[in-house]
Amino acid sequence: MKFGKRLKLQIQETLPEWRDKFLSYKDLKKLVRLISSGTSTLGKLHEPCKAEANFVYFLNAEIDKFNAFFMEQEEDFIIRHEELKQRIQRVVATFGPNGSQPSEVDYREEMDRIRKDIINFHGEMVLLENYSNINYTGLAKILKKYDKRTGGLLRLPFIQKVLQQPFFTTDLVSKLVKECENTIDAVFPDVQEEGRIKERGQKEASMVACQGIFRNTIAALVTMQEMRRGSSTYGQFSLPPLNLPDSELIQSFQPNSPIPIL
């Protein structure tokens, strides 16, 4: 599948409020065609350096967009993660066996709500990791097109710059994803009996099987696996393989298929 089509499908599968935050790949492709043919929206380009400067300006604006959105989401995730931990502590302190108002019914109801929120939170973080991956891949591809069609040498120095950008650095988000999974294992050990998928990035419970975030998360995982899979086109600018264990859920997922009941 061509990247432009894959990006379009991924934007459709993500959260609605995220859809204008992705790479403007179609506009960049159009700009590359105009530059390589010697024209621009302003007419003929007699100065190759000016054309390259315009292209780089557009790319930098896109990176600024990625960074602003990514850092905003990252900050929100940090706050939400702490709030979830505090909610668990309050429920245990209030309704747990040794709490101030012990109640098995209230305890299970409150913890069930928290579990749903953790799973949704986990899904959003996986979507953000995918956001980073797909925008990086788009930048690498459009820079390759630019160099090929114009004879320029932008890709290597520009990608080196991209590797230092906040939107590409997902270590903190990956850490929060793992902590969510550890919390599910430690605080909700009975989830497995209800159909939990116990693989990194794939822990979704039956309680959210009908929610949009579930489908979006699986779509993101499919895209992440495909983009990071080694192939004959794998090169120095490709993302490393994701190496997630095979999942029957991912293998059987199709964009138009009904959401599976776990």
Side-chain angles (χ1 to χ4, degrees), residues 8-260:
K8 182 179 179 180
L9 290 174
Q10 192 61 42
I11 291 173
Q12 292 173 349
E13 293 286 354
T14 196
L15 300 175
E17 59 270 26
W18 290 24
R19 290 175 183 169
D20 62 345
K21 308 301 182 183
F22 284 83
L23 179 70
S24 300
Y25 187 73
K26 186 176 180 179
D27 292 337
L28 283 164
K29 277 184 64 177
K30 182 178 180 180
L31 183 57
V32 169
R33 286 197 299 269
L34 291 172
I35 291 173
S36 63
S37 65
T39 63
S40 74
T41 55
L42 300 177
K44 282 285 182 180
L45 280 174
H46 299 291
E47 302 177 37
C49 290
K50 182 179 179 181
E52 181 172 300
N54 289 337
F55 182 69
V56 170
Y57 178 84
F58 197 149
L59 287 179
N60 283 327
E62 289 292 279
I63 289 177
D64 289 342
K65 177 177 72 178
F66 302 155
N67 286 337
F69 176 71
F70 187 90
M71 290 188 291
E72 180 182 5
Q73 294 301 312
E74 196 174 54
E75 291 173 2
D76 181 60
F77 289 163
I78 293 171
I79 294 170
R80 289 167 63 186
H81 183 249
E82 288 301 316
E83 289 174 344
L84 285 166
K85 290 195 296 183
Q86 291 176 14
R87 283 175 64 190
I88 292 173
Q89 292 172 358
R90 285 198 298 270
V91 170
V92 171
T94 305
F95 300 119
N98 300 316
S100 58
Q101 304 174 42
S103 171
E104 183 177 351
V105 173
D106 290 337
Y107 178 83
R108 292 185 67 84
E109 288 180 352
E110 292 298 321
M111 292 300 272
D112 189 55
R113 293 190 187 98
I114 293 173
R115 184 176 67 184
K116 292 178 187 178
D117 289 342
I118 290 177
I119 292 170
N120 280 333
F121 178 48
H122 177 277
E124 288 183 42
M125 290 190 292
V126 171
L127 290 178
L128 191 66
E129 288 183 305
N130 182 62
Y131 173 86
S132 171
N133 290 344
I134 201 164
N135 284 310
Y136 167 81
T137 301
L139 286 171
K141 287 184 176 296
I142 202 65
L143 284 161
K144 180 180 179 180
K145 286 181 182 296
Y146 177 88
D147 284 2
K148 181 178 180 180
R149 299 191 65 161
T150 68
L153 295 172
L154 278 182
R155 183 164 62 152
L156 179 57
F158 207 90
I159 288 297
Q160 289 175 337
K161 172 185 174 180
V162 170
L163 297 180
Q164 307 302 317
Q165 300 301 310
F167 88 89
F168 185 79
T169 309
T170 61
D171 292 350
L172 176 58
V173 176
S174 296
K175 179 182 177 182
L176 293 177
V177 167
K178 189 62 179 178
E179 288 184 12
C180 275
E181 293 167 359
N182 291 338
T183 298
I184 291 174
D185 284 336
V187 181
F188 310 106
D190 61 328
V191 173
Q192 186 173 8
E193 298 176 6
E194 300 177 16
R196 175 171 53 87
I197 300 174
K198 190 178 181 181
E199 299 293 351
R200 184 192 179 281
Q202 302 166 27
K203 296 187 176 184
E204 305 296 344
S206 59
M207 300 304 296
V208 295
C210 62
Q211 297 181 15
I213 191 70
F214 178 81
R215 176 178 291 280
N216 296 342
T217 304
I218 298 301
L221 286 167
V222 171
T223 299
M224 289 166 71
Q225 282 192 318
E226 290 179 351
M227 286 196 304
R228 287 171 170 263
R229 185 180 293 123
S231 69
S232 59
T233 59
Y234 189 85
Q236 63 174 317
F237 300 108
S238 301
L239 291 162
L242 194 59
N243 293 327
L244 285 178
D246 289 337
S247 163
E248 292 182 3
L249 182 61
I250 286 185
Q251 291 173 356
S252 63
F253 176 80
Q254 297 295 332
N256 297 319
S257 64
I259 299 174

